[in-house]
Structures are given as C-alpha cells and as structure tokens.
Amino acid sequence: MAEVEEKKNFEWLPEGMEPLADGEYDAIIMGTGLKECVISGLLSVQGMRVLQMDRNNYYGADCASLNLTNLYKKFDAGEPPQSLGANRDFNVDLIPKFIMACGNLTKMLLHTKVTRYLEFKSIEGSFVYKGGKVLKVPATPEEALKSPLMGLFEKRRFRSFLLYVDAYDETKPDTHKGKDLTKMTMRELYNSFGLVADTHQFISHAMCLELNDDHLDQPALPTVKELQTYCYSLARYGTSPYIYPVYGLGGLPEGFSRLCAIHGGTFMLNRDVDEIVYNDKGEAVGVKSGNEMARAKFVVGDPSYFPKEKVRATGQVVRCICFLDHPIPNCGDMESVQIIIPGPQVNRTNDIFVCSISALHNVSAQGIYIAIVSTKMEGADADKEVTPGLALLGNIAQRFTMVATTYEPVSDGSTDKCYISSSFDATSHFEGDVDDLLSLYKRVTGKDLDMNINADSVEADY
C-alpha cells in the first residue's frame, strides 16, 4: 500500500486552510499573459522558486490564441460555419501583434533561448495610408526612388536623412554632423534635411512607430533609435521589418512557461486567486485560492488580479477580428501585411492599425485570411473608431468586435510588493509593451535586464 504524502505544516498557515502547491515560494505570478510568463521564466532562471496561476484553462490570458470553437464561444457567436474549414487549422490571436525582427522582444527571446521552442516567418509587406491610398513603405533604396509617397526632390532629401540615421552612433561624435540629438527636437531634425510635413508623418508613424505627434517637439534621439531599429529589422529580411510566430502568438507565453517549468516553476491553470494576503506593513505576502494558501516574498500579475485601488484606467482599445476570403486589396495579394493609418490622415489623434495573416503562418484554413483592425478609442462608438481600417478590407465574411479598458499600476510596487503589468496597447507591434515589460523586470529585481545581445546572432532560429 502506497504511503500517503504528508502535507507540509506551516506556522503562517491559518487554521482550517491547506497549503497551495508547495506552500512557500519566492514569487507568485498571477496570469499567464506574455509579460507575466517572461517574468516567471527570467526569475526561475535566476534560481527563484516560482508559482504561476491563471483563472483560465489555457495559457496566454488576454493574449491567447484560440481555435475556431473557442473563438466563437468567447464572442457568443454560436457554431462556426463549416465553410471556414477545420477547427484545428485556426489559431486566432485575441491581441494580434507583430514582432520587430531586431527589436527588444526578439532580443529577449534570444537571451532566454526561448527561440528553440518557436518558429518564425517574416511578414511580407509594411504599408502606410496616405491621401486615401494604401502605399508600400519602401523596403529598399530602389523602392524609395519609385515610391509615390514622395516627389522626386523629396526622395533625395529622404535618402540623405536615412543615410545620416544609418551612420549615427551616439558614442561617436564624428557621426553627429554637428547635431546634438539630446537637445534638437525631431521636428528640427526633419527640417534640417528639408523634409516636408507629410514626410515627417510617414517616417514617424510608419517607421518610428510613434503613436501621435508629441515626439516632434521632444529631443530627437529616442525617435532616431526607433528608426534605426526599424531599418536594421527591414535590412534583415528585405520585405518588412516584422516577424510572426508560426501557429500564432500563443506560443510566446507557452515558450517562456516551458523555460520556467524546466527551472522548477510550478503552474496551476484553471485556478483563480480569491484574495491577495498582506502583512501588517501592507506588503503582499501570499495568495488564497479556495481553502488553500501560498506564501511568497512578492506577487506579480496583470491588472485583472488586483483590487481597483491598485490600478487606474488609461483609456479603451477597440479590436476587430475579421475573417476574409481574400487578401487585403491594394497590397499586391500579399499573404501577410501591416497597414498603419496615421491618425491625422483620418482626422484622429491616434493611429489605426490593420494587420493580416493567413494559412502561411498556420493560423487559419487555406484560403481564409485573418485581418485585425485596432485603435485607441477617442469616442463612444466602437464601429466608428475603426471604420477607416475596415474600409480597406473589402468584403468581410465574419467580424468579432471587442472593446477593452486598459489599465496601469498606481504605484511601482516597492512599498506593497505588488508588481503589476500594464494592459497591452492598441498597436499591432510589441515595442511599447516591451518597454513596460523591461520596466516591470526592473521594478521586480531592482536591476535592468541585459539587452546587449545582437538580434542577428542566431540566424538559424529564423
């Protein structure tokens, strides 16, 4: 007869409660969204004992990839029509985003070697909306010379500007050409090359991925670095600067979860957190779930796991997931594209993002294209907010619309040991979200994550 494993007894455990899993941990992570899974993976590699919980029965939280049945169930849309194809062919992202090929998320994947669990493919084209037309963002100097985005003389000025940005090195004053980008604004830098306002908008929104025009009157250096990342990423593939995981973004949190599990992390899906437990100083020291409790030095999680007084709303994001039976028109029949609609082009403050993926990335059945339109809400009518993006898609076979309130933490977590991530933004790329992730890592550990890794260094991973 097998021995019954004796439950551990802890002095801190309230009477009548059982220990949750092993009882004591260094960190308890709530939610299996990408940010939470990256943190759990990095902490476990450093030797910390990690318990990660999620109220859902799948990984990914708000950024999960769902099959057809689960997608229709989530939106109460009944049974999926057979014409869409087999359930197993679909991996639909709830928060679809592309990855900058040489950006910080790629560096994190390489840094942690999570790339070994994933396969990526490049996105075929990057486009920008201008003057009522969808135009390709030039991927080569030859394309730039032929592009209808600019007139002949503006193209020459644009080329001179890009050559300057490509050569610029913050540590080598001879590359600065007398320009102090820590003081000179981005608008002044554009003007110094004679570039017109339309070109400022196209570069800033479609290449630097700025979300509004605030940066134009701020020091140019951060924006120039963003442009360098875009150009380096573009040079890597020659079609667009973006890559995307085969089978959808759900593989990212799963990859980091696997990293955590390999290093001794404990995972509990389908297990909600009923209460965060605090000590007399107001510091989080554990969580309760049912009649079980676990203790830790601190807790990390997405805003949905914390009391309302610990987070504040930052706005709302609308996302439309659309099924098409054709590629997005006017994009050269490409299987995967991103289109950025700069806000000022459609009398908005915030940009509208359109992205499309297909069976090429193993996210849909053959002949079905998934297009997603997203933006930050500026009014109360969600449909009106995304109308300019939906208008580019042609005939839409099926559409799912969701509006989500976005949140950020009220404090940095140093006093209450509650380290809270911010909600994912409205963009169709990860650059802003990775900044939040790096900030979260520093708040939790007290040190910067070492990002001194060449994103070109593991060619075989792509």
Side-chain angles (χ1 to χ4, degrees):
M1 189 170 155
E3 285 185 32
V4 178
E5 188 179 335
E6 191 177 331
K7 285 264 186 185
K8 291 181 182 175
N9 199 13
F10 299 100
E11 289 181 8
W12 48 261
L13 198 62
E15 191 175 338
M17 295 204 79
E18 300 284 338
L20 178 63
D22 290 337
E24 289 186 337
Y25 294 90
D26 293 309
I28 296 173
I29 316 285
M30 300 179 292
T32 55
L34 177 61
K35 296 177 187 180
E36 288 71 39
C37 287
V38 172
I39 293 294
S40 71
L42 293 171
L43 295 182
S44 64
V45 167
Q46 295 171 20
M48 288 194 189
R49 293 168 300 159
V50 175
L51 169 64
Q52 189 159 8
M53 305 168 66
D54 196 304
R55 62 172 67 94
N56 300 304
N57 62 357
Y58 53 80
Y59 287 97
D62 287 341
C63 54
S65 302
L66 302 184
N67 62 25
L68 212 51
T69 303
N70 288 339
L71 180 72
Y72 272 72
K73 185 178 177 183
K74 180 174 176 63
F75 288 95
D76 295 321
E79 290 295 315
Q82 291 185 347
S83 59
L84 285 175
N87 188 42
R88 65 179 180 275
D89 291 336
F90 285 82
N91 294 285
V92 183
D93 295 327
L94 294 177
I95 299 182
K97 286 175 179 277
F98 293 154
I99 300 168
M100 190 69 76
C102 295
N104 278 338
L105 182 54
T106 305
K107 289 180 179 179
M108 279 185 190
L109 292 164
L110 293 169
H111 179 87
T112 55
K113 297 183 171 56
V114 168
T115 42
R116 72 183 73 170
Y117 309 128
L118 300 162
E119 180 187 349
F120 294 89
K121 288 186 178 178
S122 62
I123 297 301
E124 288 185 79
S126 180
F127 294 79
V128 64
Y129 180 89
K130 182 187 175 190
K133 294 180 180 178
V134 175
L135 303 173
K136 191 171 189 299
V137 178
T140 64
E142 292 75 21
E143 274 191 15
L145 289 174
K146 295 176 186 174
S147 172
L149 275 166
M150 297 165 280
L152 178 62
F153 293 109
E154 186 72 356
K155 286 172 184 172
R156 291 177 182 172
R157 294 188 284 266
F158 175 62
R159 183 176 180 276
S160 297
F161 172 74
L162 286 186
L163 288 172
Y164 171 78
V165 169
D166 183 58
Y168 182 88
D169 185 329
E170 192 179 0
T171 63
K172 296 178 181 175
D174 58 312
T175 66
H176 300 181
K177 307 298 183 191
K179 296 174 169 55
D180 184 354
L181 300 192
T182 62
K183 294 179 181 173
M184 183 182 235
T185 68
M186 197 65 205
R187 193 189 305 275
E188 289 168 343
L189 180 62
Y190 283 142
N191 290 339
S192 72
F193 284 89
L195 296 169
V196 300
D198 267 5
T199 308
H200 301 186
Q201 188 184 95
F202 145 63
I203 296 171
S204 285
H205 291 260
M207 298 177 77
C208 304
L209 306 178
E210 293 290 348
L211 304 182
N212 51 48
D213 289 342
D214 294 349
H215 68 285
L216 288 173
D217 299 309
Q218 294 168 355
L221 184 58
T223 308
V224 165
K225 285 183 175 179
E226 287 161 0
L227 182 54
Q228 286 180 331
T229 300
Y230 184 98
C231 292
Y232 298 159
S233 300
L234 186 57
R236 177 106 188 253
Y237 292 103
T239 55
S240 88
Y242 304 107
I243 57 176
Y244 180 84
V246 175
Y247 301 110
L249 293 175
L252 294 178
E254 285 181 20
F256 283 100
S257 297
R258 192 177 298 185
L259 178 72
C260 180
I262 287 170
H263 289 85
T266 302
F267 286 83
M268 302 183 83
L269 296 182
N270 215 11
R271 180 63 78 98
D272 206 352
V273 174
D274 296 324
E275 182 187 344
I276 298 171
V277 181
Y278 301 88
N279 64 15
D280 295 340
K281 299 178 187 174
E283 299 169 332
V285 292
V287 300
K288 288 181 181 179
S289 177
N291 73 327
E292 295 179 315
M293 177 176 168
R295 198 171 168 91
K297 295 170 183 172
F298 58 87
V299 298
V300 180
D302 72 52
S304 70
Y305 285 90
F306 291 89
K308 288 180 180 177
E309 63 269 16
K310 291 196 179 292
V311 296
R312 58 173 160 251
T314 55
Q316 289 186 306
V317 172
V318 55
R319 297 183 178 94
C320 282
I321 300 172
C322 304
F323 289 157
L324 315 177
D325 59 5
H326 54 83
I328 294 180
N330 305 310
C331 294
D333 288 335
M334 290 185 179
E335 297 278 310
S336 57
V337 301
Q338 172 173 265
I339 306 168
I340 292 178
I341 305 175
Q345 286 287 326
V346 288
N347 299 314
R348 288 176 53 83
T349 301
N350 294 283
D351 295 355
I352 299 173
F353 297 87
V354 181
C355 59
S356 172
I357 39 185
S358 65
L360 190 69
H361 288 87
N362 293 59
V363 294
S364 65
Q366 201 68 39
I368 301 295
Y369 298 79
I370 302 173
I372 300 95
V373 183
S374 59
T375 190
K376 188 170 183 177
M377 293 274 286
E378 294 178 8
D381 186 345
D383 285 349
K384 187 178 178 183
E385 302 283 322
V386 291
T387 294
L390 296 173
L392 303 179
L393 302 184
N395 183 55
I396 299 171
Q398 176 73 54
R399 180 177 135 202
F400 305 97
T401 302
M402 54 185 163
V403 176
T405 301
T406 54
Y407 295 94
E408 67 180 11
V410 170
S411 67
D412 63 6
S414 58
T415 55
D416 61 6
K417 303 302 178 191
C418 292
Y419 298 101
I420 309 171
S421 62
S422 295
S423 305
F424 282 92
D425 62 28
T427 67
S428 55
H429 54 78
F430 278 107
E431 295 309 286
D433 297 305
V434 172
D435 288 343
D436 176 54
L437 181 45
L438 290 170
S439 162
L440 182 62
Y441 178 84
K442 186 171 184 177
R443 285 187 277 134
V444 170
T445 65
K447 56 193 177 192
D448 290 309
L449 181 63
D450 179 13
M451 299 298 283
N452 291 319
I453 183 168
N454 183 353
D456 284 325
S457 62
V458 191
E459 191 67 37
D461 281 324
Y462 299 116

